[in-house]
Amino acid sequence: MVTIADKAVLVTGANRGIGRALVEEALSRGASRVYAGTRQAWTHPDPRVTPLTLDVTDAAQIRAAAAEVASLDVLINNAGIWLFDDLTDRAALDRHLAVNFFGTYGVTQAFLPLLTRSRGAIVNNVSLMAFAALPLTPSYSISKAAAFSLTQSLRALLAGQGVTVHAVLTGPVDTDMTRGFDIPKASAESVARAIFDGVASGEEEIFPDPMSAAMAESWRSGAAKALERQNAALAEAALASG
Ligand SMILES: NC(=O)c1ccc[n+]([C@@H]2O[C@H](COP(=O)([O-])OP(=O)(O)OC[C@H]3O[C@@H](n4cnc5c(N)ncnc54)[C@H](OP(=O)(O)O)[C@@H]3O)[C@@H](O)[C@H]2O)c1
């Protein structure tokens, strides 16, 4: 279980929305260093914040960012895009996968040596749409389902190295992403608090807002979670026997 005080935290997509709220919440919980990954130059008045130029689709920027970080306890893969499509244009799918799935994958792989050394945590800001697609944004939903599956496999594969891997099954949050949608939304600040609370209490899936929280119990006691555990045990046994 990983708490934030005196820890080094990296947040991607840190300049606005949930990412920005995560930066502020990490600072208020006493993080010793917050690496803020952003596409555009960005500054923060707190000297504990180190901006990193980090477009998660850019392999060279990911490598350069990893080279700038000496130690890391918590990686939060938060950067994401959400665009409307209807599955007729493959480019929309490619775009979502590039940011929401391969971005998460690429950043995670680059920082894994540091996280293994610190026995740290990986937190993937997924979406409730990983559970059930919203057919108005099918490419987004596919990319988040893929990111959720990545989270499950990494969790099992890294457990033996002491790295915890968390999925955030976020519902609607009041950010630029959902502007124009007239539905109940949680604040980014409350979601950021719930994410760090969930990591601290060792929750594998974090349900950080009222809509997602209503699904938490049925997920935790449900058949899909039981199957995930069964599959993880199967893999562990197979890997142990060579
Ligand atoms: N808001 C919701 O209701 C909701 C619900 C479920 C899940 N989520 C997830 O929560 C995460 C944050 O969403 P949000 O609501 O805070 O969205 P947001 O306000 O639109 O912010 C998105 C952030 O991601 C960054 N980003 C986009 N593409 C990037 C790239 N290629 N490389 C690096 N950074 C990139 C943006 O940077 P720029 O400023 O440079 O564009 C921005 O900082 C996303 O993964 C989203 O899918 C949000």
Side-chain angles (χ1 to χ4, degrees):
M1 287 179 223
V2 177
T3 51
I4 299 304
D6 301 321
K7 299 285 170 49
V9 178
L10 192 161
V11 181
T12 65
N15 53 306
R16 58 193 174 96
I18 300 170
R20 175 70 197 253
L22 286 163
V23 169
E24 300 304 330
E25 187 60 27
L27 292 170
S28 78
R29 290 184 186 222
S32 55
R33 178 66 41 205
V34 179
Y35 293 100
T38 62
R39 292 196 286 187
Q40 306 296 327
W42 191 71
T43 56
H44 190 285
D46 193 305
R48 291 173 294 163
V49 177
T50 302
L52 293 175
T53 303
L54 186 53
D55 182 326
V56 302
T57 66
D58 186 323
Q61 285 188 12
I62 294 175
R63 270 196 307 278
E68 273 189 58
V69 175
S71 75
L72 187 66
D73 300 289
V74 181
L75 167 64
I76 307 184
N77 287 302
N78 167 76
I81 56 167
W82 185 55
L83 303 167
F84 286 78
D85 76 307
D86 60 5
L87 290 180
T88 56
D89 179 10
R90 186 194 150 123
L93 186 55
D94 287 340
R95 233 176 127 192
H96 281 92
L97 287 171
V99 180
N100 299 346
F101 175 68
F102 286 111
T104 297
Y105 169 79
V107 172
T108 300
Q109 291 301 319
F111 287 95
L112 206 44
L114 296 180
L115 293 163
T116 306
R117 202 179 307 154
S118 64
R119 300 177 77 79
I122 299 165
V123 183
N124 293 336
N125 193 358
V126 186
S127 163
L128 268 187
M129 290 179 209
F131 281 175
L134 175 66
L136 295 170
T137 57
S139 291
Y140 175 85
S141 303
I142 289 166
S143 70
K144 291 294 187 175
F148 184 57
S149 183
L150 171 72
T151 307
Q152 290 180 316
S153 288
L154 283 173
R155 178 179 297 144
L157 292 169
L158 297 176
Q161 296 169 63
V163 178
T164 61
V165 187
H166 310 260
V168 187
L169 280 306
T170 314
V173 185
D174 191 9
T175 67
D176 294 341
M177 193 171 268
T178 57
R179 185 145 298 153
F181 266 86
D182 192 15
I183 48 170
K185 299 171 201 171
S187 70
E189 293 73 22
S190 66
V191 165
R193 285 194 297 275
I195 290 173
F196 286 127
D197 286 348
V199 173
S201 58
E203 288 167 27
E204 293 184 343
E205 284 78 31
I206 298 168
F207 297 87
D209 58 277
M211 182 173 167
S212 64
M215 296 185 60
E217 199 39 56
S218 65
W219 167 258
R220 289 186 183 122
S221 58
K225 187 67 189 173
L227 184 59
E228 179 195 331
R229 293 199 185 99
Q230 194 180 311
N231 286 348
L234 195 74
E236 191 185 356
L239 292 168
S241 68

